[in-house]
């Protein structure tokens, strides 16, 4: 029987798509498999083992830089989400006013500039401030991460706000709710999924950053990605595979949670 | 007594004031830790390099001159800085090739997703986004596992007896290209999908009814309809490729530098911060040209549909 003619079908597209999905997962698959390899050399399989996870776990620098990564990501994501929520409230559901377009451009600016340029710009500024104030704590990294996380938090929050009906707030006002009461009891609960999405995106983006952190950090302030970059430069060690695998599982976990969360709501 | 209009005006100006207050913290952070520093980079590009990094506060255009030209140490003549030019050329050509390759692979993939039944699309999209949200360094590192002398490809080639000794794949332009295609592919698929999702398939049916072949339908109907997605995806891939730093560093080694690595070199071993600053501004300028092209294309396509 001849296959039914389908207008949507294009010759070979399905094959290319399947190849694409396969190639997308091939390298990370390889990485994960070899993380369980009981061998000094990375590529020759010598049997299943958890020894590299064990080695990584006992490597204090790995643990320290992981904790630092999470600290920075948590603080930066929360700060970015709060300020982005405020900014989103200020830039949606309004008649155009002077400066509105400028605000959009401003908030999304970190997305338009190549990371390496932002990184050297921050290196210049922070190294000056470091000399003036003598302060060399995590503040610089947190400020930098907050700045480039703001657009990532802003976009989903704004999208959510724009799809929200203004009439509910108006109804609240008609029932004599104050501005704050209306926000607290009407706007915020409706906006919550957007805020959570923004928070998760900002957290993952901060956790991922290599370039800006590499330039802004002071001595001994490695995050997990910059620590790994240093390790890779010094020649590959098998525990990198193990660390990567843990990191991989973690980000996939966060993104999956986000996916199912946003699916249930809509 | 205030008229109704005056009251409304006052309410509106109050509203705008509170809107500025609300957005102030975000604007301030972006200004202090992203936009402001960029302006300082411009200033630094016109200063003299210090002895141990940093700068001397002395006006100079040397950095800008040496972006393109180099001064001969012996007779002080100027010639084109071939090292810089070749790095610029490599960056632009590798980024262009990355864009084209991601388009070749991404287009059918996005089309495939867009033509699935509605409830399945989410799952396919999700499969595209997972690698995208995985750490860039880890993805690049995973590519290294595939390309190394004792990596997956060489293992396969030797298993199939195509070669008896490993082929050098790492630390080549090819490795950098492959790495960038791998890393940036989702950035191409997502905007393509967004514009394909909106295709009215009745137009395609009409095309077939008028005896168009599959290829003609693709070229004359689908591609024009998806054009905004193609432009958006190309920009989203081209710009980060141009500034790529991690991928060429991990997969290209010390010899296959791109602009990003050249900039880093000036701030690190090179100790020529003004040159690094001038190179950064040059990179920004190329990016801005690409963005302008994008904006012009977008407004034009909006105009033709509206």
């Amino acid at each position: 029987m001849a296959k039914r003619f389908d207008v949507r079908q294009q010759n070979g597209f399905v094959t290319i798509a399947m190849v694409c999905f396969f190639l997308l997962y091939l390298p990370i698959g390889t990485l994960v498999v070899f993380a369980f390899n009981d061998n000094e050399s990375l590529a020759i399989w010598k049997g299943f083992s958890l020894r590299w996870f064990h080695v990584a776990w006992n490597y204090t620098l790995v643990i320290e830089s992981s904790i630092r990564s999470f600290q920075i990501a948590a603080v930066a994501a929360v700060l970015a989400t709060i300020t982005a929520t405020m900014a989103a409230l200020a830039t949606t559901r309004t008649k155009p006013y002077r400066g509105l377009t400028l605000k959009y451009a401003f908030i999304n600016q970190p997305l338009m500039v190549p990371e390496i340029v932002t990184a050297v710009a921050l290196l210049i500024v922070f190294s000056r401030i470091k000399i003036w104030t003598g302060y060399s704590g995590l503040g610089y990294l947190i400020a930098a991460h907050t700045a480039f996380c703001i657009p990532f938090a802003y976009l989903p929050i704004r999208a959510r706000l724009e799809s929200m009906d203004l009439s509910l707030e108006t109804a609240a006002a008609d029932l004599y709710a104050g501005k704050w009461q209306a926000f607290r009891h009407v706007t915020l609960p409706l906006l919550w999924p957007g805020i959570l999405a923004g928070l998760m995106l900002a957290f993952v983006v901060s956790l991922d950053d290599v370039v800006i952190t590499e330039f802004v950090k002071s001595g001994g302030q490695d995050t997990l990605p910059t620590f790994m970059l240093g390790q890779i430069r010094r020649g590959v060690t098998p525990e990198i595979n193990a660390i990567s695998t843990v990191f991989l599982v973690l980000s996939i976990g966060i993104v999956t949670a986000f996916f199912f969360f946003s699916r249930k709501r809509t | 007594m205030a008229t109704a209009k005056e009251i409304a005006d006052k309410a509106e100006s109050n509203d705008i004031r509170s809107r500025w207050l609300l957005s102030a913290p975000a604007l301030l952070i972006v200004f202090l830790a992203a936009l402001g520093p960029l302006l300082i980079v411009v200033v630094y590009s016109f200063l003299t390099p210090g002895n141990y990094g940093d700068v001397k506060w002395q006006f100079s255009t040397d950095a800008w001159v040496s972006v393109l030209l180099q001064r001969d140490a012996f007779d002080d003549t100027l010639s084109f800085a071939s090292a810089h030019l070749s790095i610029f050329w490599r960056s632009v050509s590798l980024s262009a090739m990355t864009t084209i390759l991601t388009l070749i692979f991404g287009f059918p993939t996005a089309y495939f997703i867009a033509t699935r039944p509605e409830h399945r699309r989410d799952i396919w999209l999700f499969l595209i986004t997972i690698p995208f949200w995985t750490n860039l360094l880890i993805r690049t590192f995973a590519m290294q596992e595939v390309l190394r002398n004792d990596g997956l490809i060489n293992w396969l080639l030797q298993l199939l007896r195509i070669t008896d000794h490993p082929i050098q794949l790492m630390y080549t332009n090819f490795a950098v290209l492959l790495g960038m295609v791998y890393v940036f592919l989702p950035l191409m698929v997502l905007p393509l999908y967004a514009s394909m999702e909106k295709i009215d398939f009745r137009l395609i049916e009409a095309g077939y009814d008028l005896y168009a072949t599959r290829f003609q339908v693709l070229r004359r109907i689908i591609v024009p309809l998806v054009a905004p997605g193609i432009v958006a995806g190309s920009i989203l891939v081209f710009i980060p490729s141009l500034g790529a730093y991690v991928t060429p560093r991990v997969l290209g080694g010390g010899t296959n530098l791109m602009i990003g690595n050249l900039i880093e070199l000036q701030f690190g071993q090179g100790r020529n911060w003004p040159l690094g600053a001038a190179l950064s501004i040059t990179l920004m300028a190329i990016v801005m040209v690409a963005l302008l092209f994008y904006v012009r294309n977008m407004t034009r396509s909006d105009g033709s549909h509206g």
Side-chain angles (χ1 to χ4, degrees):
Chain A
M1 199 178 94
K3 236 171 87 179
R4 234 188 88 238
F5 182 78
D6 181 0
V7 284
R8 292 165 163 247
Q9 203 80 41
Q10 287 290 322
N11 291 335
F13 271 27
V14 176
T15 321
I16 300 178
M18 288 303 124
V19 170
C20 216
F21 280 107
F22 177 71
L23 293 180
L24 223 40
Y25 284 89
L26 181 71
I28 35 183
T30 314
L31 181 97
V32 171
V33 168
F34 278 110
F36 295 98
N37 183 14
D38 185 18
N39 196 347
E40 294 288 337
S41 155
L42 284 154
I44 303 152
W45 184 259
K46 234 182 87 180
F48 181 87
S49 142
L50 291 174
R51 66 187 273 210
W52 300 119
F53 291 90
H54 194 73
V55 171
W57 182 250
N58 284 319
Y59 203 157
T60 36
L61 278 177
V62 172
I63 304 300
E64 274 171 24
S65 55
S66 308
I67 293 171
R68 196 171 295 115
S69 280
F70 280 97
Q71 281 173 338
I72 294 168
V75 180
V78 168
L79 285 177
T81 309
I82 293 172
T83 52
T85 307
M86 289 163 67
L89 285 167
T91 52
T92 48
R93 307 194 291 177
T94 169
K95 279 188 286 184
Y97 56 94
R98 207 161 11 141
L100 188 61
T101 338
L102 191 73
K103 275 189 198 172
Y104 284 140
F106 223 85
I107 289 168
N108 290 315
Q109 185 266 343
L111 292 180
M112 324 249 194
V113 180
E115 247 195 312
I116 183 81
V117 176
T118 312
V120 298
L122 287 172
L123 170 72
I124 290 175
V125 173
F126 288 160
S127 68
R128 214 100 310 245
I129 300 178
K130 241 177 248 182
I131 296 169
W132 286 338
T133 61
Y135 172 74
S136 62
L138 284 182
Y140 303 111
L141 280 173
I142 289 169
H145 279 232
T146 306
F148 71 70
C149 283
I150 283 177
F152 288 96
Y154 174 77
L155 291 173
I157 298 171
R158 191 188 133 196
R160 177 89 194 173
L161 263 172
E162 274 184 342
S163 65
M164 268 167 54
D165 200 346
L166 254 180
S167 57
L168 288 167
E169 277 104 319
T170 319
D174 281 350
L175 298 169
Y176 300 104
K179 260 195 160 172
W180 173 248
Q181 278 177 310
F183 175 75
R184 169 81 185 71
H185 294 289
V186 180
T187 316
L188 198 59
L190 285 171
L191 186 57
W192 198 238
I195 295 178
L196 216 56
L199 185 74
M200 284 197 235
L201 283 192
F203 186 77
V204 175
V205 166
S206 164
L207 215 54
D208 265 7
D209 179 73
V210 196
V211 182
I212 290 174
T213 312
E214 176 79 1
F215 281 80
V216 170
K217 73 184 166 73
S218 310
Q221 286 184 346
D222 268 314
T223 59
L224 196 56
T226 66
F227 170 78
M228 284 168 55
L229 187 67
Q231 288 295 100
I232 293 170
R233 199 184 336 177
R234 265 173 247 122
V236 178
T237 48
E239 67 263 25
I240 292 282
N241 277 8
I243 302 168
S244 301
T245 302
V246 175
F247 219 77
L248 207 76
V249 170
L250 219 69
S251 8
I252 291 177
I254 296 175
V255 179
T256 312
F258 170 50
F259 174 74
F260 283 106
F261 185 78
S262 60
R263 232 157 98 102
K264 223 185 294 168
R265 296 285 167 155
T266 52
Chain B
M1 221 175 91
T3 65
K5 190 180 177 315
E6 273 168 359
I7 294 172
D9 279 353
K10 192 152 183 291
E12 190 167 313
S13 75
N14 268 336
D15 181 53
I16 289 177
R17 194 180 317 132
S18 64
R19 281 172 186 276
W20 274 103
L21 263 170
L22 267 175
S23 44
L27 297 179
L28 194 72
I29 293 173
V30 171
F31 182 77
L32 288 180
L35 189 63
L38 273 187
L39 303 175
I40 295 172
V41 175
V42 178
V43 174
Y44 263 52
S45 72
F46 288 103
L47 297 174
T48 311
N51 293 332
Y52 308 101
D54 213 338
V55 290
K56 279 193 226 137
W57 286 87
Q58 222 164 45
F59 178 81
S60 155
T61 52
D62 278 2
W64 281 103
V65 172
S66 52
V67 168
L68 283 180
L69 304 170
Q70 60 192 358
R71 198 179 291 278
D72 194 287
F74 297 105
D75 55 9
D76 237 27
T77 52
L78 290 170
S79 60
F80 276 109
S82 51
H84 290 178
L85 284 181
S86 77
I87 289 172
F88 271 97
W89 173 243
R90 180 181 299 123
S91 303
V92 173
S93 58
L94 278 179
S95 304
M97 281 194 279
T98 305
T99 311
I100 293 166
L101 282 174
T102 49
L103 188 60
I104 290 174
F105 279 99
F107 194 92
T109 308
Y111 192 83
F112 167 80
I113 301 174
T115 50
R116 290 312 96 188
E118 211 157 323
H119 60 282
R120 299 255 182 79
R121 288 183 209 163
D122 270 6
I123 303 281
W124 287 111
L125 268 185
F126 179 57
L127 283 175
I128 288 282
T129 34
I130 281 191
F132 178 57
W133 289 117
T134 305
N135 193 302
L136 175 91
L137 183 66
I138 292 178
R139 280 183 290 158
T140 311
F141 180 62
M143 208 28 139
Q144 193 174 338
E145 294 282 274
V146 173
L147 294 171
R148 277 208 324 268
N149 279 350
D150 52 357
L152 194 69
I153 291 182
N154 272 311
W155 175 76
L156 261 178
L157 288 177
Q158 285 170 45
L159 195 76
L160 299 169
R161 308 285 162 116
I162 294 170
T163 172
D164 54 357
H165 56 87
I167 298 168
Q168 176 70 35
L169 295 168
M170 279 291 290
Y171 311 127
T172 60
N173 281 337
F174 171 74
V176 178
L177 179 63
L178 206 63
M180 294 210 298
V181 170
Y182 177 54
V183 163
F184 293 127
L185 188 64
L187 284 176
M188 180 61 91
V189 174
L190 294 176
L192 279 177
Y193 167 78
S195 59
M196 282 176 185
E197 194 196 29
K198 285 180 285 196
I199 291 184
D200 182 351
F201 280 91
R202 284 173 306 183
L203 293 173
I204 292 168
E205 224 171 320
Y208 285 127
D209 283 348
L210 298 168
Y211 299 105
T213 61
R214 281 192 189 279
F215 181 71
Q216 281 173 324
V217 164
L218 182 66
R219 200 172 72 87
R220 305 290 287 274
I221 303 176
I222 301 179
V223 171
L225 283 175
V226 185
I230 296 177
V231 178
S234 303
I235 287 291
L236 278 179
V237 171
F238 186 73
I239 290 178
S241 316
L242 210 56
Y245 166 80
V246 172
T247 312
R249 178 158 153 189
V250 173
L251 297 174
T255 46
N256 296 281
L257 303 178
M258 288 181 51
I259 305 177
N261 312 97
L262 181 63
I263 293 171
E264 196 249 334
L265 214 59
Q266 300 311 324
F267 281 91
Q269 300 158 354
R271 297 203 185 291
N272 192 341
W273 288 27
L275 178 55
L279 289 166
S280 306
I281 305 292
T282 312
L283 175 58
M284 273 294 302
I286 303 177
V287 167
M288 284 300 151
V289 170
L291 275 175
L292 274 179
F293 172 79
Y294 167 70
V295 170
R296 244 191 43 197
N297 256 284
M298 281 292 116
T299 45
R300 209 170 46 206
S301 65
D302 280 357
S304 68
H305 289 299

